[in-house]
Amino acid sequence: MRAVHAPSLCAVALLALLGTAQAQPASSGDTPGATLGSLLDLARARNPDYAAMRLDAQATGERELPAGSLMNPRLKMELQDITRGGERAPTLLPSEAGATVYTLSQDLPWAGKRALRQEAAALETEAAQGRAQQTWSELAGRIKTLYLDRWRIQGTQRLVNENLDLMLQLEKVLQVRYATGLAAQQDITRIHVEHTAMRAELVALAGEWRQSQTRLNALLGRPLQSELAAPATLPPLPAPDHLDFNRLSDTLRASSPLLRTETARARAAEKARDLGLKNRYPDVTLGVSAMQRQGSVNEWGVMLELNIPLQRDVLRAQEREAQSLLDAAQARQEAAANLAQADLADALSALQTARQTEHLMTYSLLPQADLTWAAALAAYENGKADFATLLDAQRQIRTARLGQLKAQVDARMRLADVERLIGEDL
């Protein structure tokens, strides 16, 4: 009777060692999502929140000219002695009244008030533009995070599918080995459990993929079920010397949208305080009048009117209010700067950690896992190890690859946090 030789596991093992990538479907050139730039361009043009903030800033900018302008002049017409000493019925005709007085007047604020109002309005515009820029930075950060999450999901699906293919081929080998008495029944059961768990993981990943597509479409201002292309490239990381904390801290202070907004608010509060101090002095109204009698103008006059700031208690209360608002704005500015610096330090630290983790996974853990798998495979074929040991070795490779993928994505997510804080792409 001829002996039946079980197939060698070496061919099957090559799948685990080579990690053949699953082919990705080709994306349509008209479908966004393949690159991060295509998503950001679409969001810049279509996101409603960003559009609203830009329009708010534009509307705020239109307040600068009115804030520094004089009030419209006033024209007053006064009919005097409309009954001509009681000799006739009242009349509203200027030529028939006893006298008609025409007064043209103009309000003139105290020197410096118009300039302060215009400067305060310009600073409010600066704050509104900062809020619009901050909205874009946060929106871009969310889009970058979702893009990277889709890259992670796609990479995880690829790794799970590779391992599932390996498990299915191992199962075929085990079926032959079991028929020849070289494998135990529990080995077949174990591998069934293993690839069932992988199929369940693929179902969960498919759900995550659909959710990420829905959230991304919402940020892009597109119908929620619109198709998105799969990510095609992983954004590169800048060189380590471009991620120096001191250098980025200077950039943060110069261009952070949040700090720009808080600085403008503090300066606007300072102008409001200065304007409140100007209220100690009276505003002026100048006027010129002409008097018409019997159809002809024969008298002229001029007018000077002052509002007298006598209620000192009210003025002092308003000044104290303005000073408190200024102090509060400056405190918020300082708090925002401190928090932004701390967030920047945290993001850079996490980025460095992710980079080091990826290096360890790539150059240490993965080679060790491959050696463990090769040793377990040889021991199993020689009957010196059971199938559970072989599965554990294969799980180590899978864990190392998933860790490598996670570290790659985590590093770029922390980079997105840095870019959101400083308001610039690196």
Side-chain angles (χ1 to χ4, degrees):
M1 185 176 182
R2 251 180 350 181
V4 180
H5 296 286
S8 170
L9 294 178
C10 292
V12 176
L14 287 175
L15 290 173
L17 294 175
L18 295 176
T20 306
Q22 184 184 11
Q24 297 297 327
S27 343
S28 167
D30 297 331
T31 305
T35 63
L36 182 57
S38 67
L39 297 176
L40 294 175
D41 289 343
L42 190 58
R44 189 178 284 107
R46 300 183 59 172
N47 180 266
D49 287 338
Y50 180 50
M53 294 303 294
R54 284 188 290 119
L55 291 171
D56 282 344
Q58 181 179 338
T60 304
E62 298 299 333
R63 300 174 188 169
E64 293 183 37
L65 180 61
S69 301
L70 290 173
M71 297 290 291
N72 289 325
R74 295 192 303 274
L75 176 64
K76 182 173 97 171
M77 183 181 72
E78 182 182 356
L79 299 176
Q80 297 179 351
D81 193 14
I82 61 175
T83 62
R84 302 287 286 270
E87 296 178 358
R88 56 176 294 172
T91 181
L92 296 179
L93 295 175
S95 60
E96 296 183 8
T100 304
V101 180
Y102 302 94
T103 304
L104 181 65
S105 61
Q106 175 68 61
D107 293 331
L108 298 174
W110 190 263
K113 282 189 175 182
R114 288 170 55 202
L116 284 172
R117 288 177 185 143
Q118 191 164 29
E119 289 171 4
L123 289 168
E124 289 295 340
T125 301
E126 177 76 10
Q129 291 171 346
R131 289 192 295 271
Q133 185 184 1
Q134 184 179 355
T135 298
W136 170 250
S137 294
E138 292 175 354
L139 173 63
R142 293 172 65 186
I143 290 173
K144 291 172 184 177
T145 298
L146 284 170
Y147 179 87
L148 292 168
D149 197 44
R150 286 168 67 80
W151 178 274
R152 175 194 61 81
I153 295 170
Q154 177 182 254
T156 305
Q157 287 175 326
R158 182 178 65 251
L159 290 175
V160 173
N161 277 315
E162 289 173 6
N163 282 278
L164 181 59
D165 290 342
L166 173 62
M167 290 297 105
L168 292 174
Q169 294 192 48
L170 280 176
E171 182 181 5
K172 293 177 183 178
V173 173
L174 284 174
Q175 292 284 1
V176 176
R177 291 172 65 89
Y178 176 71
T180 59
L182 298 176
Q185 176 65 45
Q186 57 265 34
D187 294 342
I188 305 294
T189 303
R190 284 193 187 97
I191 206 165
H192 283 168
V193 171
E194 197 75 15
H195 62 62
T196 299
M198 291 180 186
R199 288 195 178 97
E201 187 174 356
L202 287 173
V203 170
L205 289 169
E208 290 183 39
W209 183 266
R210 290 191 297 271
Q211 291 170 6
S212 68
Q213 176 173 284
T214 300
R215 291 195 298 268
L216 199 48
N217 277 325
L219 295 179
L220 299 177
R222 304 174 75 224
L224 298 184
Q225 301 306 318
S226 300
E227 287 297 322
L228 286 172
T233 59
L234 189 63
L237 290 175
D241 58 338
H242 290 172
L243 297 175
D244 176 69
F245 175 78
N246 293 327
R247 175 178 177 273
L248 291 177
S249 181
D250 292 340
T251 305
L252 175 72
R253 284 190 291 268
S255 61
S256 166
L258 176 61
L259 298 188
R260 176 187 179 187
T261 301
E262 295 300 336
T263 299
R265 284 174 173 170
R267 293 177 59 201
E270 183 179 359
K271 299 300 179 183
R273 189 273 314 272
D274 294 343
L275 187 60
L277 295 176
K278 291 282 186 182
N279 288 333
R280 297 179 180 184
Y281 306 100
D283 294 330
V284 178
T285 301
L286 297 179
V288 60
S289 62
M291 181 175 289
Q292 175 185 347
R293 293 181 188 274
Q294 305 296 322
S296 63
V297 176
N298 48 30
E299 292 184 28
W300 293 87
V302 293
M303 178 193 71
L304 172 64
E305 180 181 339
L306 301 176
N307 70 320
I308 304 175
L310 291 178
Q311 298 189 26
R312 296 293 180 179
D313 292 342
V314 174
L315 288 174
R316 297 299 180 268
Q318 291 173 342
E319 291 170 7
R320 289 193 297 271
E321 177 191 7
Q323 183 62 51
S324 296
L325 290 174
L326 172 59
D327 293 341
Q330 290 174 339
R332 281 192 293 270
Q333 179 187 3
E334 183 179 358
N338 292 338
L339 183 59
Q341 294 277 357
D343 289 343
L344 177 63
D346 288 346
L348 289 174
S349 176
L351 195 158
Q352 183 180 7
T353 299
R355 264 185 157 165
Q356 292 173 346
T357 301
E358 180 189 358
H359 187 273
L360 287 173
M361 290 288 179
T362 303
Y363 298 104
S364 181
L365 189 57
L366 264 174
Q368 292 171 7
D370 287 340
L371 290 175
T372 301
W373 165 259
L377 181 62
Y380 179 73
E381 289 191 317
N382 293 326
K384 296 181 179 179
D386 57 12
F387 190 68
T389 302
L390 190 64
L391 284 181
D392 286 341
Q394 191 275 332
R395 289 192 195 104
Q396 289 180 23
I397 294 180
R398 179 186 172 198
T399 300
R401 288 181 178 168
L402 289 175
Q404 181 188 41
L405 175 63
K406 182 178 182 300
Q408 291 172 344
V409 171
D410 283 349
R412 286 154 179 84
M413 284 190 174
R414 301 294 77 78
L415 176 63
D417 290 339
V418 172
E419 293 173 339
R420 173 182 57 81
L421 288 168
I422 65 174
E424 293 181 3
D425 289 342
L426 295 174

